[in-house]
Every structure is written in structure tokens, then in C-alpha cells.
Amino acid sequence: MPEIPKTYEPQAIEEKWYAEWLEKGFFTANPHSTKEPYSIVIPPPNVTGVLTLGHVLNNTIQDILARRARMLGREVLWLPGTDHAGIATQNVVEKSLRKAGTMKHRDDLGREKLVEKIWEWKEEYGGKILKQLRALGASCDWSRTRFTMDPEYSVCVQRVFVDLYKKGLIYRGKRMVNWCPVALTALSDEEVIMKPTNGFLTYFKVEVVESPGTFLTIATTRPETIPGDTAIAVNPNDPRYAHLIGKHVRRPLPLENQAAIPIVAEESIDIAFGTGVLKVTPAHDKADFEIGQRHQLESIEVIDPRGVMDALAGGDLEGLDRFEARKKVVEMLGEMGSLEKEDPYQNNVGYSERADVVVEPRLSEQWFLKYPSVEQARRCVEQPEIRQTEERVPDGKPLGAHSLAGKLGLQPAPSTQVSLTDLLSNVNEKECKMHFYPVRWAKVYDHWLGGLQDWCISRQLWWGHRIPVWYHQETGEVYCGLEAPGDGSDAVNKSQESPWKQDPDVLDTWFSSWLWPFATMGWPEKTPELAKFYPTTDLVTGPDIIFFWVARMIMAGYEWMGEMPFKNVYFTGIIRDKQGRKMSKSLGNSPDPLDIIAQYGADALRFGVMRSAPLGADILFDEKNVELGRNFCTKLWNAARFRQMYEGAGSEIEGEINPTLLTSDDRWILLRLDVAIREVSTALDEYRFSDAANALYRFFWSEYCDWYLEASKAALGRVPLPTEVPMSAAEVAAAYPLRANTLAVIDFILAHTLRLFHPFLPFITEELWESLGFRDDLPARQGGDTIMFAHWPKPFEEDFKQHYGLTSEAEKAANAKYDTVLAGRNLRSTYNIPSNKRVRFVLQPTGDLLPHDAEVLKILLNAEALDIAADYAAPQGTPTNLTPLGHLYLPLEGLIDLDAERERLSKEIAKVTDELAKVRAKLANPGFAEKVPAAVFDEHRQRERNWQEKLGQLQKLLANLS
RNA sequence: GCGCGGUUAGCUCAGUGGUAGAGCACUACACUGACACUGUAGGGGUCGACAGUUCAAACCUGUCACCGCGCACCA
């Protein structure tokens, strides 16, 4: 097997393994496999996208899930792809074409040409992000890469449109829509972001036509729309104005047409706001439009699609931008003497999500969709109340598993915490539930579904799925279908232009994205992929697209597949910089993940990000975390090198461990491994990735390296072996059985930890899996050719533990030893013994001590010698600490600083006295003894005795000093 | 206005009733034969405030304050 180089150089290793994985087809899903399926569809990034830290977070999580699923023996499909992202992509390409001088305006090229150019751009530059994902180690099945405008995918989109049209859920209508004056298209409500915006509340007065000399004052934030006003509205219950209803006022603008407009009654008017008088502009305000409908008011459009005032706004305003016009109108009102005042005012204004400009409500002809399968979508997501594991009953005691199990007629497993979720999973109702992580998003989801407005699905763009509707130019007939309709005459007459013209609009990008989980798998055919992998298992995405995408996918899933599209949805947090600010290009706080990978390695980035990504919280990205990941990889690397210094690496695993030769250190680390396996598995089952990463970090670094490897040096002895003649591994094993057994334990630990780490650190674990020889003796697809399919470690069985003596006594024995070490090291530093000075310790043992354990103590204490002397008579003032194994002395032969020792002891006594007082106060509390559970009571009594004993000894020591 | 999340060490965060924890940062010592991308030891917190429940509260209940987010919206 290859020797492990001194330093870990991730770049070469990562490239090598990724190429190998691809070549061997390890990522390719087999829909005909008999293995249980696991599937996940990537949230398709924009085809124009480049990798950001947000993607790193999201896709690392998906990769961890996919890799672990493979190790659990599942047939894994992780399906990648990109989204055509209508507005964004058209913008990007138009910009580059303008820059290249190919065109000034899209009309220069025309629709067909521009779309062609966008396709060209897509083929050449699009999907860059997917290549970047490979650098991260993403184990996607690239053979199944999809694009939302693939021909087959487009057919799905059209089919769905036609289907909904036939079901009567799609209609066309002239409605108030959110209009983006930059993108020149309608937007859905979800694409409008409300932002508090500073402006003015302008007060101006108008004269009542029927009562000259009577004026009404109106407060408005949008004076530029005055020329479009066709009424004034007041609340009929407002005594100030009720008598004026039915009369008219003179509209001040445009000057050319100061029409008399009616005063109408509207219950919805807030009497307390402004002056209680509302100007009504049906053409440029959603609420005003509705008032207009109720009172059959005229609609006067005074702002054109670009946000520029038109002719109807009057000669003074025509051609002005709407915001310039706003200033101009105020000026004009002032000149007329109509302006009363302008108050600074902050209100919420809608902005276009993409272009970040103020959206203009505008009346226009659009296609709308009444959402399908809403009730199913709403019912299928598990709500937080159900997830609650404890319900309180009046006496304050948790309603535990037993009573609940009783209700459900189930027997809980003894001594294990049974959650309500587990119990309910046995109940039918529960079977069909989809789980959100964190569950609180389910409430947000439900709330949105409860107040759905029809979805405006048409966009006035060129890049996207064309609406499959044709209008007959002569008859006005409307046709909706997959193919353009024939004109009824014979097709021979090809040169003649068809009288059918297709609707020029394209569909909202999300109208294709919502089909992603099944359109990517070949729907509407009954493909093996759909049969095997739908519904998908997990979806990993950001909560910001819960309405845009997640909710709509769920509805689409029910509507066309009759089933939920995924079983679990994991919502990541948002990646922020270390000051908590959002990553943004303008702030320059958004590092390029590829730079980070080049500097630290992909594994380091993955581990660093995952370690700081708790479920449901935002992630503050700090390069320090990546550094920590890199350091950890180095640690792993060196721990493997340590193993390789000794003979026979990799050739003896599991079965080779001889239980009779196990030391307490061996038993201890095996027990810690068992705990780590359980913790990591449970954490991953519950999508607590940072907990899993932390548990692994702690186990490998703090337990395995810091304690076990150091202790193992006692059993391993020196390298090279103290023999002249070279020996084979088997001969060494025969000659040094303890050493061989320790190496077997090390191999066992490494073989398990590499597998536990693989989902997080795919590259370095694969490299070491090979270097340490763990491939040998394993069947090809179970770790023999790659760690990717090695079995995920299982917690130890009881009989395994019994066989190897993995008992709590063994653990206690090791812990006693380690506590003794800590006490000794503490003595060293208290007396300022330099770390490299080897000193002599004396232990006055309270019980038996194995020679091997004494050797371990000596090594861990970095002692020159450790004397075991039951009858040791310590010279006066010899520094000592009470340890679980007895008194440990640090004889310093006359070098003792009595004052320092006195001070140390006094400090210690103060601490112990304090603790003793605390526990005594509790015990003295009336009611404590009666009400507290026996175990807790005993534990407190024991604690009291321990502190008491320790205090006595400390006091004795202090007394000996004087 | 309604809803959700948060407030624990200098920083980022674990911790769902019984002796306050981790990582980073900081201090001291040491380049000891896997590792200075390291090791060892150490300092540092009245757990946002107030009140309540309890033998016992960081944890449960209530009120408030501040921070963040979502939804709705009155011009």
C-alpha cells in the first residue's frame, strides 16, 4: 500500500478521486436496483449562476445525505440540473450582447434571434456552476443532468398548462398586476418585496363643485397620479364628509382637463388616517381599482409601461419619469395655491425582486392560475403541534411516553425515550405526512396556503416557455394545446401564413420549476426512474423560496403524480459574513468558494461550514472555521501516518482483536467510539449536521488522539522494533502480542472513523481508506473499491460489548487513570515545571494498579519515573493532589515554595467549601428529602460526602505545611 | 397590526428542572520520535429584565425590553 506523504496536499488528491469516482460510475443511479431507493433533486441553480457559499452550504448538505445513504445500502439518485431563470438570464445575455455591440435594444435583434443568442450563450457559458460543484465533491448523477428548457421538459410544462386550462384553472383576464418598469413584465405577488421607504405625505385641497368655497383636503403619497384620479372616496360614517357624498370635486390636474369627479362612499376608508379623504386612481393602485369596480369609475392610465408619464397626464407631465413627475406635481400644486403641506412619511413600497425598482401597479391582460391540489398540499405537511414530544398536564409533570403509548395501545421500548413522533408514525394518518426541518416553517407554509391569491403566470419576456395558446386572427377563436392548431384547410398550402397566432408571452420561470421532482424523471411516461425514485426522499433548500418553489412543487406533486414530491424538507439558514451581514457583491464580503477550496481544500471548506451550521439558524461565515476544517484534516492525516509507522497497517481488522489482551484504554476508546457512532447517526437522522460534525471532531481529536493514541504508546513501544533481524508482521505479532492487539484496536477505530467522516470529508477519507489498506479483504462494492459504499458503522450490539468487556467498570477504570493524569499535570503547571522537564511522581495507590497502567500514567504525565509506593512518607510540604487512584506527589526535593503551595491549597479549599455549602443548602431545604426522587437525593448526599472528604484532606495538607 | 425566531464567556453558539459547556480569541510553558495546521495547563459567565410555579429554574408560566425575520397594510 502507498506510503502516506508527510504533508496533506488536498488539491491533487481531490482531483484524482473525483475523476476516479466519475470514471467508475459510482454516482450513477440504477433504477432497476433491488436496493431501497434514496433520492434527492438538486434545487436547480440559475443557468447563469456561479458557485456561492450559499450553494456550498446547500450542496454539502445534500452530498452528506447522499453519501450516507449509499453507505446505508440505498440506491442513491442525486439528480442535478439548472433552471432557465427567465428574467435573470435574459438580462445577463442582453447585457453581454449590448457590451459586445451586437445590439442596442432587443428589438434590434427580434425575438427569434435573441432567443437563439441566449441558447448559444447557454451552451457555451451556462451551467458553469455544475462544474464548480464537482470541486466541492458533489456526488450528483451527472448522466441525468436536466435543464428546465430541455425539449422533454418543455413538453411537460406545456402539457401541464393545457391540463390546467382544460380543468378551468387557468384563465386570461385584465387585472391589476405588479408591473416591473425595467423588465417590462408582469410579476407575481411573490416577486414583489415590500420595503419601508422614506417619502412625503402631500396634503392638497380640492373644491367641491356643487358648493363653491368648500374645500376638501386630500393626503396622498402619490401626487403624480392626480391626473388619473376619477373619484374621491370618504367614509359614509364620517360626519365631516357624509353630506358631501354624491357631489363632485374639481380635479386639479391635468390643467387641460380639470374634470369634475364624484365623491363616493367607501366603508374601507380609515377616518383617522390623513384627512380621511382618499383620492381614487383606478389605473394605478390595487385598492383603488377595486373601488373603481364598485362604483363603475373610469380608469385613466397616466403612466406608461416604462414608468413614464403619458399624454393623459397632461402636457406639463408628459415624458417625465414618474418620480420626477411627483416633484413637478407638488410644484404645480404650490403654484396653484392648492398645496397645504408636505409631511415626511415612511410607508411600505413594493419593489421588483430582480430589478430592485418600485413596482407599478398596472392594469393589464395576463394569464392567471387558480392553484390546484391546495387542500392536499395543506394537509400533508406535519404541523408543529404534532411534533411536540411532551404535553404538559396540570400537575406540571410531562405527559410521558407511557400514558401516550397507553392511549395509542402501544408498548414503548423500556428505558428509551419514545417521542410522540415515533408513536404517531405507527398511526395511519401519520404515514402521509411530510416533515419540515425545522418544523416551524410548516406554520409559515400553512399560513401562505391559507391566503392564496391567483398566480399571475404570464411574463412579457422572450426567454422561457411560450404559452401554448393560439388566437385565430379572424374568428377570434382561442386554442390551447400541445401543438399549433391547423387552420382547417389542407396542409399543402404551406406558404400561406397560418391565421393562428401564438400568444407572445412566456410562462413564469417557477411555472416550470414546480414540476422539477417528476419532470426530470421522464414524466408523463411511466419511467423506471419515477417508479423507483419518486417521491424523492429529501429536499434541501432555503426558506426564502418556500412559496416560490416548495409549496408549488407540493401542489404539482399531488396534482400530477397523486403523491407528495418529497418526504422531508430541510431548510438551510442564510449564509452571512462574520458580522452578520448578508453576503453581497457590493459589500465585497462574499468570498469565492473556489478560492477557498484552492487554499484549504474542499474537505476543509465542507467541514468548516457544516460545523457551524446548526439546524434552523443562519450561518455566520468565518474563514476561521475553514481553517479549523483544514487543521482537522491535517490531524486525521497525521493520525493515519502514526498508524503507518507500525507494521501491518490495514491487514488486521475487527476479528483480530483479542479480548483477553485489551487494556482499559482499549476498552475506553471502543466505548467512546460506540457513543460517537450513536451520536453521529442520530444527529444525521435528525438533520443536525453541526452536531454530527462536532461529535466526530470531539471523538477523533479530544478522545482518540489526545488520550488514546498517547496512551497506546505504552503498549506499542518504540519504532523501530528493538530487534536486529527484520520480522514480518505476523512474527512481530507473535513476539509482541500486546502491541499487535493495540494495532488491531487502532485499525478498528480508524476503519470506523473514516467511514463516519466520509460524508463530511469525502476526499481525505477515500485517500486514507486506500493508504491504510482498508480496501483489502472487502468485497468490491462494500468498501473494496471505494469507501463510498463501505457500510455505515452500526452501534455495538450487547453481545459484542460483552465479548470485549466493554462495561461501565472498564470505562470508570480508564477515567480514573485519566483524572489522575489531569491532577498530575495540574501539579506540574502549578509549580511551573517546564513542559519538557521530565520529573518524578510518586503515587500512593488506594488499590491495585497494573504495571501497564502505571506505564500509561508515566507516559501521559511525561514523567521521568512514576514510583508506586504505598508507604511513601512525603517530606513536609511536598505538592500533592488527591486523585481517584490515590495521593499523587510531586517531590521537588527542597525546591518547594511553601507559600505557593499554601496559596494553591487555600484556593482549592475555598472552592470546595463553596461547593459544599451549595449542596448542603439544598439538602437543608425543608421538603427536599420528601419531594425529591430517591436517586436525586442519594446523588446529593454522595456529592456532599465527596466534597466533605476532599475538604478534610485539603485541610490536613494545609496544616502539614506549617 | 398579526406571527415566528433570538438574547448564555470577548466572538460564534450547545445546553428542556438537579455541580454552567464547546470552538475561536486570550495568558503561560514546550518545536518530546504522527501532528507547531501541534501539545499541556490556565483565566474568563449574577445564563436580557421583572414577577410567578417548584424542594430546586439558563431550562416551565406570564409581562416587558432589545435584535432579526416573515405576512398583512391606510391612501
Side-chain angles (χ1 to χ4, degrees):
Chain A
M1 74 207 61
E3 190 175 324
I4 302 173
K6 178 141 172 70
T7 52
Y8 167 55
E9 276 161 27
Q11 286 72 27
I13 288 172
E14 290 171 8
E15 270 175 45
K16 176 182 76 178
W17 287 116
Y18 203 85
E20 160 126 357
W21 293 332
L22 280 183
E23 192 202 320
K24 298 267 173 72
F26 291 159
F27 302 161
T28 313
N30 173 11
H32 305 290
S33 154
T34 53
K35 294 179 182 176
E36 217 185 303
Y38 176 90
S39 54
I40 183 162
V41 288
I42 205 169
N46 288 358
V47 69
T48 54
V50 289
L51 196 70
T52 64
L53 284 170
H55 295 118
V56 168
L57 171 67
N58 184 279
N59 288 286
T60 299
I61 290 173
Q62 292 175 69
D63 197 42
I64 288 170
L65 292 169
R67 286 179 184 274
R68 176 156 180 261
R70 285 190 195 94
M71 297 177 81
L72 287 168
R74 310 274 208 96
E75 185 62 34
V76 171
L77 168 62
W78 182 12
L79 194 151
T82 48
D83 191 296
H84 68 279
I87 299 178
T89 306
Q90 189 170 329
N91 274 349
V92 166
V93 179
E94 276 190 30
K95 215 184 211 169
S96 86
L97 290 176
R98 278 196 297 271
K99 212 171 163 188
T102 315
M103 63 169 215
K104 277 194 171 143
H105 189 266
R106 70 182 72 129
D107 290 336
D108 301 347
L109 274 182
R111 180 168 194 148
E112 263 179 49
K113 266 275 187 235
L114 181 67
V115 169
E116 203 176 288
K117 287 277 178 201
I118 301 176
W119 272 111
E120 280 171 24
W121 187 95
K122 186 257 168 188
E123 295 306 330
E124 190 161 358
Y125 307 105
K128 181 181 175 185
I129 189 168
L130 297 185
K131 296 207 176 64
Q132 295 177 314
L133 279 178
R134 298 171 192 217
L136 190 64
S139 58
C140 302
D141 182 351
W142 302 109
S143 70
R144 287 188 166 79
T145 304
R146 296 286 182 268
F147 177 51
T148 52
M149 276 183 38
D150 284 339
E152 312 82 48
Y153 200 107
S154 294
V155 173
C156 295
V157 174
Q158 266 141 31
R159 189 175 284 273
V160 158
F161 185 98
V162 173
D163 184 45
L164 290 167
Y165 183 85
K166 291 197 173 138
K167 285 173 178 160
L169 293 172
I170 282 184
Y171 63 94
R172 191 168 187 238
K174 199 159 188 186
R175 298 286 157 108
M176 222 28 168
V177 296
N178 310 296
W179 183 266
C180 175
V182 168
L184 297 178
T185 180
L187 302 172
S188 67
D189 294 342
E190 287 69 35
E191 287 165 286
V192 177
I193 317 258
M194 300 305 278
K195 291 200 232 177
T197 304
N198 288 318
F200 293 95
L201 197 53
T202 304
Y203 291 76
F204 68 100
K205 57 185 178 183
V206 290
E207 191 169 21
V208 180
V209 176
E210 287 84 352
S211 323
T214 307
F215 291 89
L216 287 180
T217 301
I218 304 170
T220 181
T221 53
R222 303 209 54 195
E224 74 278 11
T225 61
I226 291 175
D229 290 351
T230 50
I232 298 293
V234 295
N235 194 315
N237 303 317
D238 190 336
R240 291 173 297 176
Y241 309 121
H243 63 285
L244 295 172
I245 289 166
K247 296 185 175 175
H248 296 74
V249 301
R250 184 136 330 263
R251 185 181 64 206
L253 294 170
L255 293 175
E256 302 90 313
N257 179 17
Q258 293 179 316
I261 54 174
I263 299 170
V264 300
E266 269 296 321
E267 299 267 355
S268 62
I269 303 294
D270 181 353
I271 294 171
F273 185 88
T275 58
V277 185
L278 173 76
K279 69 192 241 343
V280 182
T281 327
H284 295 289
D285 185 279
K286 224 172 191 170
D288 290 6
F289 176 76
E290 281 160 26
I291 297 176
Q293 297 260 293
R294 283 196 283 275
H295 298 276
Q296 283 98 45
L297 299 174
E298 194 192 344
S299 246
I300 306 175
E301 203 171 303
V302 295
I303 304 173
D304 77 5
R306 294 166 303 152
V308 174
M309 307 308 292
D310 64 18
L312 289 174
D316 301 284
L317 300 176
E318 185 177 0
L320 287 183
D321 174 83
R322 52 194 165 143
F323 297 105
E324 288 166 30
R326 185 174 296 175
K327 285 182 212 150
K328 175 83 179 176
V329 165
V330 173
E331 238 171 67
M332 290 172 73
L333 289 171
E335 284 162 13
M336 281 182 230
S338 303
L339 183 68
E340 290 206 336
K341 60 172 174 174
E342 274 194 291
D343 286 347
Y345 184 68
Q346 191 186 66
N347 64 339
N348 270 336
V349 178
Y351 286 73
S352 152
E353 189 210 16
R354 281 275 150 216
D356 199 34
V357 291
V358 174
V359 159
E360 191 60 50
R362 185 164 168 263
L363 197 59
S364 94
E365 184 107 54
Q366 302 288 346
W367 288 95
F368 295 90
L369 168 66
K370 288 186 200 299
Y371 286 101
S373 295
V374 175
E375 271 318 302
Q376 275 158 299
R378 206 171 171 191
R379 265 205 321 269
C380 72
V381 172
E382 176 201 42
Q383 288 295 320
E385 308 81 67
I386 305 171
R387 182 98 49 100
Q388 255 175 30
T389 51
E390 284 182 357
E391 277 186 64
R392 302 255 149 210
V393 288
D395 70 358
K397 294 264 160 51
L399 185 70
H402 287 84
S403 55
L404 203 59
K407 273 192 217 160
L408 294 165
L410 296 168
Q411 286 298 317
S415 86
T416 34
Q417 193 72 33
V418 181
S419 76
L420 188 51
T421 319
D422 295 336
L423 290 171
L424 287 177
S425 67
N426 293 321
V427 181
N428 272 346
E429 167 75 4
K430 191 62 202 269
E431 291 292 314
C432 63
K433 286 289 182 189
M434 188 185 303
H435 308 275
F436 279 15
Y437 297 87
V439 69
R440 69 186 140 87
W441 291 111
K443 267 185 104 162
V444 177
Y445 168 88
D446 186 65
H447 183 250
W448 185 76
L449 280 175
L452 283 180
Q453 304 282 315
D454 290 351
W455 177 10
C456 175
I457 52 173
S458 46
R459 296 289 178 276
Q460 288 64 54
L461 298 172
W462 290 347
W463 176 244
H465 298 98
R466 194 87 175 255
I467 291 182
V469 169
W470 287 261
Y471 310 102
H472 197 284
Q473 297 301 288
E474 287 143 32
T475 63
E477 233 178 302
V478 176
Y479 173 82
C480 176
L482 291 178
E483 305 278 343
D487 56 2
S489 64
D490 52 293
V492 180
N493 219 346
K494 257 191 168 173
S495 57
Q496 202 180 321
E497 215 172 292
S498 165
W500 292 95
K501 281 266 180 303
Q502 188 171 6
D503 192 298
D505 289 353
V506 299
L507 289 160
D508 181 2
T509 300
W510 299 104
F511 192 88
S512 59
S513 315
W514 73 329
L515 313 176
W516 189 248
F518 52 90
T520 50
M521 294 190 202
W523 183 86
E525 305 303 321
K526 290 192 165 31
T527 61
E529 282 81 3
L530 280 174
K532 180 82 181 172
F533 295 114
Y534 191 94
T536 62
T537 319
D538 292 326
L539 178 79
V540 179
T541 191
D544 48 332
I545 51 175
I546 189 167
F547 311 138
F548 278 114
W549 197 45
V550 179
R552 289 168 178 167
M553 277 194 288
I554 295 171
M555 292 188 252
Y558 277 104
E559 188 67 12
W560 291 289
M561 294 297 295
E563 237 182 315
M564 58 176 75
F566 20 74
K567 293 171 190 150
N568 307 294
V569 184
Y570 177 88
F571 290 104
T572 66
I574 297 167
I575 290 248
R576 299 170 178 279
D577 71 7
K578 60 180 163 187
Q579 281 127 45
R581 302 173 304 182
K582 272 193 181 170
M583 293 284 184
S584 81
K585 275 182 194 158
S586 53
L587 277 174
N589 61 351
S590 173
D592 182 348
L594 294 183
D595 289 346
I596 298 175
I597 289 173
Q599 193 181 346
Y600 299 98
D603 286 338
L605 175 59
R606 293 167 63 113
F607 197 74
V609 168
M610 290 323 296
R611 226 184 123 268
S612 55
L615 174 62
D618 285 353
I619 291 98
L620 271 55
F621 181 82
D622 186 344
E623 204 162 307
K624 285 261 179 233
N625 288 322
V626 185
E627 233 174 83
L628 179 134
R630 189 262 324 258
N631 294 353
F632 185 78
C633 288
T634 307
K635 191 75 178 178
L636 191 57
W637 188 259
N638 284 308
R641 289 181 62 230
F642 176 79
R643 169 62 187 94
Q644 219 181 33
M645 292 187 335
Y646 299 90
E647 67 285 344
S651 63
E652 43 235 276
I653 331 177
E654 315 201 11
E656 300 290 329
I657 296 175
N658 179 346
T660 61
L661 290 174
L662 287 177
T663 66
S664 60
D665 305 299
D666 295 331
R667 295 200 165 101
W668 179 82
I669 197 62
L670 288 169
L671 279 162
R672 297 312 303 164
L673 175 65
D674 183 46
V675 169
I677 293 171
R678 286 167 204 275
E679 281 184 1
V680 173
S681 300
T682 314
L684 288 178
D685 287 343
E686 295 167 4
Y687 304 87
R688 291 182 287 111
F689 299 99
S690 62
D691 290 342
N694 277 319
L696 278 170
Y697 184 93
R698 187 214 59 228
F699 168 75
F700 195 77
W701 198 313
S702 311
E703 292 169 1
Y704 177 69
C705 290
D706 287 352
W707 287 104
Y708 181 74
L709 274 193
E710 292 307 316
S712 76
K713 287 171 183 173
L716 291 173
R718 298 241 166 174
V719 193
L721 275 169
T723 65
E724 306 287 314
V725 216
M727 292 163 80
S728 73
E731 286 166 333
V732 179
Y736 303 92
L738 184 59
R739 171 173 167 133
N741 206 51
T742 302
L743 290 176
V745 172
I746 288 176
D747 285 340
F748 184 89
I749 301 285
L750 287 176
H752 279 74
T753 35
L754 285 179
R755 282 181 281 157
L756 289 172
F757 273 118
H758 177 69
F760 291 89
L761 311 171
F763 295 109
I764 193 173
T765 49
E766 183 77 291
E767 175 75 11
L768 294 176
W769 185 254
E770 184 196 39
S771 303
L772 288 169
F774 292 127
R775 291 173 160 210
D776 308 352
D777 304 331
L778 283 173
R781 279 296 172 109
Q782 290 172 31
D785 50 9
T786 171
I787 192 173
M788 277 180 62
F789 297 105
H791 293 311
W792 182 258
K794 288 198 194 84
F796 300 161
E797 305 277 349
E798 264 321 302
D799 55 351
F800 178 95
K801 285 190 178 179
Q802 207 129 48
H803 183 247
Y804 290 104
L806 308 183
T807 60
S808 59
E809 285 74 34
E811 189 169 18
K812 269 184 210 148
N815 279 328
K817 196 160 59 181
Y818 304 146
D819 284 345
T820 299
V821 170
L822 288 176
R825 286 171 177 172
N826 176 276
L827 280 178
R828 279 186 83 113
S829 72
T830 305
Y831 288 92
N832 293 323
I833 314 290
S835 312
N836 59 345
K837 186 162 168 78
R838 315 198 72 193
V839 290
R840 186 171 69 99
F841 281 91
V842 181
L843 179 66
Q844 221 170 26
T846 44
D848 291 337
L849 189 68
L850 294 172
H852 173 76
D853 285 332
E855 179 64 14
V856 170
L857 282 174
K858 189 189 130 190
I859 288 176
L860 292 179
L861 284 166
N862 191 25
E864 184 185 32
L866 174 68
D867 296 345
I868 310 295
D871 53 354
Y872 179 65
Q876 192 201 25
T878 301
T880 181
N881 247 333
L882 183 65
T883 79
L885 297 182
H887 271 108
L888 184 68
Y889 294 92
L890 179 59
L892 290 173
E893 276 90 29
L895 295 175
I896 312 150
D897 181 342
L898 287 178
D899 287 337
E901 179 65 356
R902 243 179 243 120
E903 196 189 319
R904 187 181 74 85
L905 285 172
S906 305
K907 229 169 116 183
E908 189 85 350
I909 285 170
K911 212 163 98 185
V912 172
T913 310
D914 203 41
E915 293 297 339
L916 188 61
K918 266 200 257 178
V919 72
R920 280 191 172 153
K922 273 188 141 180
L923 285 164
N925 202 323
F928 182 81
E930 301 122 61
K931 299 194 180 175
V932 94
V936 174
F937 183 78
D938 290 347
E939 190 257 326
H940 277 75
R941 288 300 298 270
Q942 186 58 46
R943 207 190 298 166
E944 185 198 17
R945 274 195 296 273
N946 289 347
W947 289 127
Q948 177 67 63
E949 191 188 346
K950 179 135 194 189
L951 184 62
Q953 272 155 346
L954 287 168
Q955 279 164 340
K956 216 165 84 190
L957 287 172
L958 186 61
N960 283 348
L961 280 182
S962 31

